[in-house]
């Protein structure tokens, strides 16, 4: 079992910045591949950024050059630095990981943190 707890969401003006954090339980955090997703009202949940255990990162086209995903394995924490925020970035942001137990994958999600960007 993995527990994920996000924080850092807030109300911010367009052009501003926020840093989201996700603290994970478990003693093997350094082995986890981790993602940030977001879901806006009436829209599907979408992948924002992903970071592998080996340090490879990928980003949605809509956030490239503005967002940065990183991790601190000693603190078991995943981060999402969000700069030049736009109203379209408003959503609930979720931390996610998938773990393989035997032959079965299990998905773990945090409770989400609300980001609201005002124009």
């Amino acid at each position: 079992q993995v527990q994920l707890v996000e924080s850092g969401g807030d109300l911010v003006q367009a052009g501003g910045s926020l840093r989201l954090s996700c603290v994970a339980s478990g003693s093997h955090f350094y082995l986890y591949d981790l993602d940030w997703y977001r879901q806006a009202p009436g829209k599907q949940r979408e992948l924002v950024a992903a970071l592998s255990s080996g340090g490879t990162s990928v980003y949605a086209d809509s956030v490239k050059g503005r967002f940065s995903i990183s991790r601190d394995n000693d603190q078991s924490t995943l981060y999402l630095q969000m700069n030049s925020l736009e109203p379209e970035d408003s959503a609930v942001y979720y931390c996610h990981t998938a773990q393989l137990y035997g032959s079965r994958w299990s998905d773990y999600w945090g409770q989400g943190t609300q980001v609201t960007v005002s124009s």
Side-chain angles (χ1 to χ4, degrees):
Q1 288 282 346
V2 178
Q3 291 186 323
L4 303 169
V5 180
E6 305 99 331
S7 62
D10 205 346
L11 170 63
V12 63
Q13 288 191 332
S17 297
L18 282 175
R19 187 175 82 157
L20 305 183
S21 299
C22 171
V23 179
S25 66
S27 57
H28 303 292
F29 178 86
Y30 67 100
L31 294 175
Y32 298 168
D33 294 336
L34 295 151
D35 319 299
W36 285 102
Y37 281 76
R38 68 185 180 187
Q39 187 167 21
K43 294 189 176 181
Q44 287 190 327
R45 193 170 294 191
E46 63 174 353
L47 179 67
V48 176
L51 181 60
S52 73
S53 58
T56 301
S57 59
V58 294
Y59 296 92
D61 287 343
S62 59
V63 307
K64 279 181 183 176
R66 300 188 298 121
F67 290 12
S68 177
I69 189 171
S70 62
R71 65 195 295 160
D72 183 337
N73 289 335
D74 291 336
Q75 298 297 321
S76 297
T77 303
L78 177 72
Y79 300 102
L80 185 68
Q81 178 66 44
M82 307 187 295
N83 300 325
S84 302
L85 283 161
E86 303 169 353
E88 293 74 23
D89 296 317
S90 296
V92 178
Y93 284 71
Y94 298 91
C95 183
H96 166 265
T97 187
Q99 300 299 312
L100 183 62
Y101 298 102
S103 59
R104 180 169 164 266
W105 284 97
S106 294
D107 287 290
Y108 297 96
W109 297 90
Q111 83 287 354
T113 187
Q114 177 71 51
V115 172
T116 304
V117 184
S118 64
S119 57

